[in-house]
Amino acid sequence: MTTEPLTKRQRMAIGRQEMPARDAGERSGTFNEVNLGFTEQLALLEAQRCLACARPVCVEGCPVSVDIPSFVASIEAGDLAAAARALFGDNALPAVTGRVCPQEHQCEAVCVRGRKGAPVAIGHLERFVADWARGHPHDDVVTSEPSGRRVAIIGAGPGGLTAAGELARRGHDVTIYEALHLPGGVLSYGIPEFRLPNEIVDNEVDRLQALGVHIECNVVIGRTYTLDELRKSFDALFISVGAGLPMFLDIPGEGFKGVYTANEYLTRVNLMRAYAFPEADTPVLRGERVVVIGGGNVAIDAVRTARRLGARQAMIVYRRSRPEMPARVEEVHHAEQEGVTFEFQVNPVAIEGDADRWVTGLRVIATELGEPDESGRRAPRPIAGSERVIPCDAVVVAVGTRANPLLTSSSPDLALTNRGYLAADERGMTNLPGVFAGGDIVRGSATVILAMADGKRVADSIDSYLSGTPVELTAP
Amino acid sequence: MGHEVISNTSLSPTVHRLVVSAPRIAVVRQPGQFVIVRLGPGAERIPLTIVGSDAAAGTIELVIQAVGKSTADLVAVAAGSYIDDVAGPLGQPTDLITKGTAVCLAGGVGAAVMYPIARRLSEIGVELITVVGARSSASILFEDEFRSFGDLIVCTDDGSAGRAGFVTDALADLIAAQTVDVVYAAGPVPMMRAASAVTSPRDIRTIVSLNPIMVDGTGMCGGCRVTVAGAMRFACVDGPEFDAHSVDFDELADRLTTYGAAERIAVDHVCRSAGQPVTGRHGAG
C-alpha cells in the first residue's frame, strides 16, 4: 500500500481491471457462478482509479444513492469494514446489486473516467465489498426502540426485502408474506445460479431474520388472506408483488409442447432445480436446439440456461438490432463467449409443430427499423416476403410480464392504472390509507435495483406515516 | 415447521386420503379450490383439490392418486410426518347454482374433485344427481357420501358394480329423461370431452374442472394455459373450472403428455436407487 496519496496522473494511468471469470468452455456446462470476483489486489487497483470527484455524479446515477466515493476510498485505504458500513448504509442487498445491476446505464454510465476510456468498475467493487462482508459479519442492528407498530410486506422479492430491512432497523415489527415456498422473488425463481448464487439470497434473508423480520412463505395474499384482513391486523402494508403474469406473443403454436414462458422455464430450473432432474423431481425439456424470443436480461438468462442444459444450439431471436437490446452488456458478452447465437431484426410469426404437436421450428419474418417509437427505440417493421423457419425443438418466450390481478382483483377498492398496475403517489401510497406499493406492480417490468429503490423510498414513507410526521400530499 | 399429516388412509389400491394440518386454508377454502403441495426439498409442486376441511380442527382433506413419482411419495407419507409446503386456497371457487337440478359427473379420481361441490350443492338444497364412474367396484370413491347427498348412479367399466359402461352414457340417458340445469364434471380429459359433447346439443350449462400441468399456481409461469373460447386462460388463477363447451380439450390432453418420458426416467431412477416398485403413467402429478 502506498503511503503518499496517488496523483491524478497516477490514477489515470491505471486501466480498468478485468473481472476474473470461469472459462467459457467449462462454465457453459455448469451452473456455477461465472464471475469469480475481484481479488483484494484487483480491488485496490480498481479503487485507485477513482478520482474522488468534487461532485460525485456516480451517486446521482445510482437509484439508491449509494455513497460510492466513500466506499471506494475505504477500499483504497484498506479499511474494508468501513467500506462495508458505507455500502450497507445505503444499499440493503449489495451482494445482489453488485451482480445484477445494469451499472453501464447507471453509476458507471456517468463516471468521469468513462469520458476518456473505461469507467471505474463500481459494480465489481460493490460486489467485492459485499462478498467480503459476508465472511466478516458486521453488526446490523435495530437502531430504534420497538415502535409497537406492525407492517406487512406482500412479496419477498428485492423490493420487499429492502423495505423489510429498512423498517425493522427503525424498530417496526415486520412480517413478509411470500406466495412461493422460498423467499427472494425473482432473485430465487428467475435469476440463475450462474449469475446470482442462491446462497447470496439465503444470506440476505438470514440477515433480515436476525433483525427480527418474520417471513411467512406459502401465503398468497388475495387468497389465503385478503388485503382488507391484513389492513385490520397491521398499521401499514407494502405491496411489492412484482408484475409476474407472463406475456405471450399471441401467435399460432404457443400451445405446442416445448413452448415455455421464460418464467416457467427459469422457475423449473432455478426454484425447482430441474437441472438436477431426476435427483430433483421437477423436469424440464432439454432441447437440442432452443430458441429464446426477447432481448432483455430474462431472455439472456434463459438462453444461457438452455446452453447449460445441453442445447447444441441456443439462440436469441430479437426483433430489433443489437444496440436496442435492454440486456446488460456483460451478460450478452458472456452469452456469446458461451456459444449463444443471435438473430437480430426478425419477428416471430408462428411456432411450427409436428403431428404430435411438438415444436419443430419458429417461423420468423425479417424486420427493418423505422422511426423511434414511444420507448425511444426504433420500431421494427416486417419486410414482405422474408419469412423463413428457424428449426428448433424448444421455444422460450421472454417478452416481458404484466400485472398479475390475483391480489388486485380481490381488493376492488384499490385504484389501478389503465394497464392494471397499482396507482401510487410520490410516497408510494395507494388510494387506500396506509397501503403502499412499489416495484414492478407499480412501474411495470423494470429491474431489481429499481424495485429496491422503491423499497427504500417507501420504507421512509411508511416510517413517516407511522410516526405521524406530516408529509406533503401529491395527487397520484 | 410444515404441515402435519394427521391421517393417511387408503381409499383404493392407488388412492389415498390425507388429512393435513392447514388451519388458515381450512377456514377460508371454498368448493372448487385447490392447494399447491410440495413434500420437501427437491420435491415437485403439485396442485391438489381441497376435498374437505374441518375449520375447528384446522385440517384439510386431500385425495391423491399415485400415478407418478411425486404422487407416490405423497401417498407414502405416514401419519405424524410432515409436508413442508401447502399453499392456498388457490383458484376460483365453483360457480354453484342455488336452485334447480344439478348433475355431478365424476370419473375415477375426479370423484375427489366433485365431492366438495356435490356436498355444498346438497347443503344448498338443489336437486342433485351424482354419477360416479370407476374401473371396478373396488375403485369407487366416496360412494356412501355421494348417496347421502342425493341420487347416485354408479358406473363401472367391468360391470362389477352399478351399470356397466361410461358415466357419459348415464349422463346421456339422464338428460334425455329429465330437465338438468347444470352439469359439473371432473375426471380424465376424454371423459370431460365426452360429457361436453353429450350436453352441448341440448345447450346444458356444463362446467369442467381442468387439471393441466402447473408449477407456481399463482399465474406466474403460464404453464397451465388452456384455450377457452379461443382465448388463452390460466387454469390456476382464471380456473380451474371453465365452460366445457368452450374448452380446447385436444390441446389440454396433448399438453398433459409433455413430461411422459421424464416421468418414466423419474420412476426408473427411484426403482434403481431405492428398489421401490412404482407404477407410473404420466407426470401430471
Side-chain angles (χ1 to χ4, degrees), chain A residues 382-449:
Chain A
I383 302 170
S386 66
E387 279 195 24
R388 67 196 161 93
V389 174
I390 300 169
C392 61
D393 46 22
V395 171
V396 180
V397 182
V399 296
T401 56
R402 56 200 170 89
N404 187 334
L406 196 148
L407 178 138
T408 52
S409 65
S410 67
S411 311
D413 296 340
L414 205 53
L416 304 180
T417 68
N418 52 11
R419 290 163 66 214
Y421 294 105
L422 285 177
D425 65 19
E426 269 173 29
R427 296 167 298 167
M429 192 149 98
T430 65
N431 65 313
L432 303 180
V435 179
F436 295 78
D440 282 6
I441 192 60
V442 173
R443 296 172 173 272
S445 304
T447 60
V448 166
I449 187 67

Side-chain angles (χ1 to χ4, degrees), chain A residues 224-259:
Chain A
T224 317
Y225 297 92
T226 64
L227 201 66
D228 284 344
E229 284 176 296
L230 291 193
R231 290 181 73 195
K232 287 184 189 120
S233 337
F234 291 88
D235 299 298
L237 308 184
F238 178 45
I239 302 173
S240 51
V241 294
L245 204 67
M247 293 207 284
F248 285 82
L249 292 157
D250 202 17
I251 59 174
E254 287 182 309
F256 288 157
K257 300 188 292 290
V259 181

Side-chain angles (χ1 to χ4, degrees), chain B residues 152-172:
Chain B
L152 177 68
I153 300 167
V154 171
C155 305
T156 51
D157 295 352
D158 63 1
S160 56
R163 63 182 272 179
F166 295 127
V167 288
T168 43
D169 296 334
L171 176 67

Side-chain angles (χ1 to χ4, degrees), chain A residues 181 218 223-225 229 244-246 248 254-255 257 259-261 263-264 268 277 279 281-282 356-357 404, chain B residues 24 38 42-45 69 85 88-89 213 218-221 223 225 232 237 251 254-255 258-259 262 269:
Chain A
H181 59 267
N218 300 313
R223 294 271 198 264
T224 317
Y225 297 92
E229 284 176 296
L245 204 67
F248 285 82
E254 287 182 309
K257 300 188 292 290
V259 181
Y260 286 112
T261 66
N263 270 4
E264 181 180 2
R268 283 180 178 274
F277 180 87
E279 267 74 34
D281 293 342
T282 302
D356 293 325
R357 300 172 56 96
N404 187 334
Chain B
R24 176 64 191 178
R38 176 177 168 272
E44 273 187 284
R45 293 170 64 92
K69 198 258 175 193
D85 304 290
I213 293 167
T218 63
M220 186 264 277
C221 86
R225 60 191 181 273
M232 184 190 293
V237 288
E251 182 187 73
D254 176 64
R255 287 182 59 79
T258 303
Y259 298 103
H269 179 75

Side-chain angles (χ1 to χ4, degrees), chain A residues 31 204 209 240 380:
Chain A
F31 280 82
E204 302 297 350
Q209 286 176 324
S240 51

Side-chain angles (χ1 to χ4, degrees), chain B residues 3-260:
Chain B
H3 299 259
E4 187 178 0
V5 174
I6 308 299
S7 67
N8 178 346
T9 48
S10 172
L11 299 181
S12 85
T14 59
V15 179
H16 284 232
R17 172 176 171 271
L18 268 63
V19 175
V20 178
S21 171
R24 176 64 191 178
I25 298 170
V27 171
V28 294
R29 71 95 191 174
Q30 295 179 64
Q33 291 187 302
F34 63 96
V35 286
I36 293 269
V37 170
R38 176 177 168 272
L39 180 53
E44 273 187 284
R45 293 170 64 92
I46 298 176
L48 293 167
T49 299
I50 305 166
V51 177
S53 63
D54 182 335
T59 57
I60 59 171
E61 267 178 60
L62 306 173
V63 169
I64 303 156
Q65 182 174 32
V67 292
K69 198 258 175 193
S70 294
T71 44
D73 288 349
L74 271 175
V75 301
V77 177
S81 299
Y82 286 79
I83 293 172
D84 273 9
D85 304 290
V86 178
L90 300 169
Q92 303 290 342
T94 304
D95 186 359
L96 296 161
I97 60 165
T98 53
K99 57 180 192 296
T101 302
V103 171
C104 284
L105 191 73
V109 78
V113 177
M114 205 42 67
Y115 172 79
I117 297 169
R119 179 176 171 159
R120 184 60 58 85
L121 287 169
S122 86
E123 287 165 1
I124 292 168
V126 305
E127 287 296 315
L128 176 64
I129 304 151
T130 304
V131 183
V132 186
R135 279 189 194 149
S136 67
S137 60
S139 47
I140 301 165
L141 301 175
F142 299 113
E143 183 176 356
D144 294 342
E145 290 87 345
F146 283 129
R147 208 178 292 287
S148 73
F149 299 153
D151 291 343
L152 177 68
I153 300 167
V154 171
C155 305
T156 51
D157 295 352
D158 63 1
S160 56
R163 63 182 272 179
F166 295 127
V167 288
T168 43
D169 296 334
L171 176 67
D173 292 348
L174 258 179
I175 63 174
Q178 68 170 95
T179 303
V180 170
D181 297 295
V182 61
V183 175
Y184 299 94
V189 175
M191 177 224 126
M192 292 192 284
R193 175 173 27 208
S196 178
V198 165
T199 58
S200 178
R202 288 171 187 268
D203 208 17
I204 297 170
R205 190 166 159 239
T206 303
I207 296 167
V208 283
S209 180
L210 305 186
N211 60 335
I213 293 167
M214 238 175 237
V215 184
D216 65 291
T218 63
M220 186 264 277
C221 86
C224 68
R225 60 191 181 273
V226 289
T227 303
V228 181
M232 184 190 293
R233 308 293 297 276
F234 292 173
C236 66
V237 288
D238 300 321
E241 295 172 7
F242 294 99
D243 167 28
H245 301 153
S246 307
V247 170
D248 183 343
F249 287 107
D250 291 346
E251 182 187 73
L252 173 66
D254 176 64
R255 287 182 59 79
L256 282 168
T257 67
T258 303
Y259 298 103

Side-chain angles (χ1 to χ4, degrees), chain A residues 2-217:
Chain A
T2 50
T3 45
E4 292 283 305
L6 295 180
T7 63
K8 185 175 173 189
R9 180 185 292 272
Q10 285 172 314
R11 293 180 187 279
M12 291 296 289
I14 308 170
R16 179 168 161 129
Q17 303 301 302
E18 253 191 57
M19 169 61 84
R22 219 175 280 278
D23 172 73
E26 174 206 331
R27 74 186 189 232
S28 58
T30 80
F31 280 82
N32 294 332
E33 191 175 14
V34 170
N35 282 343
L36 299 170
F38 271 173
T39 59
E40 218 161 318
Q41 177 64 23
L42 288 173
L44 174 64
L45 279 168
E46 190 61 38
Q48 287 173 339
R49 298 184 64 233
C50 177
L51 303 178
C53 305
R55 183 185 149 222
V57 285
C58 52
V59 179
E60 294 164 29
C62 174
V64 297
S65 308
V66 166
D67 187 351
I68 294 163
S70 164
F71 92 79
V72 172
S74 294
I75 297 173
E76 190 182 337
D79 189 350
L80 295 181
R85 278 194 301 277
L87 187 53
F88 280 91
D90 294 317
N91 181 348
L93 310 170
V96 173
T97 51
R99 287 170 166 81
V100 306
C101 253
Q103 288 94 3
E104 69 266 23
H105 299 306
Q106 298 173 169
C107 52
E108 295 182 22
V110 291
C111 174
V112 169
R113 290 290 312 256
R115 287 183 205 159
K116 287 187 209 160
V120 174
I122 299 166
H124 295 342
L125 290 175
E126 177 184 36
R127 173 194 158 145
F128 171 74
V129 173
D131 286 356
W132 177 87
R134 278 195 296 141
H136 301 78
H138 58 292
D139 292 333
D140 189 5
V141 289
V142 180
T143 51
S144 313
E145 290 294 302
S147 68
R149 313 306 288 273
R150 301 184 70 216
V151 182
I153 294 176
I154 307 169
L161 294 176
T162 300
E166 298 287 337
L167 289 163
R169 269 179 220 105
R170 292 176 221 184
H172 304 302
D173 183 2
V174 179
T175 302
I176 310 181
Y177 293 105
E178 166 57 45
L180 292 173
H181 59 267
L182 288 176
V186 72
L187 308 177
S188 292
Y189 74 75
I191 301 177
E193 185 78 6
F194 56 81
R195 206 149 75 81
L196 179 66
N198 284 335
E199 61 161 331
I200 304 281
V201 182
D202 294 347
N203 189 263
E204 302 297 350
V205 168
D206 289 348
R207 285 198 311 126
L208 288 179
Q209 286 176 324
L211 278 175
V213 172
H214 313 282
I215 301 181
E216 288 197 31
C217 289

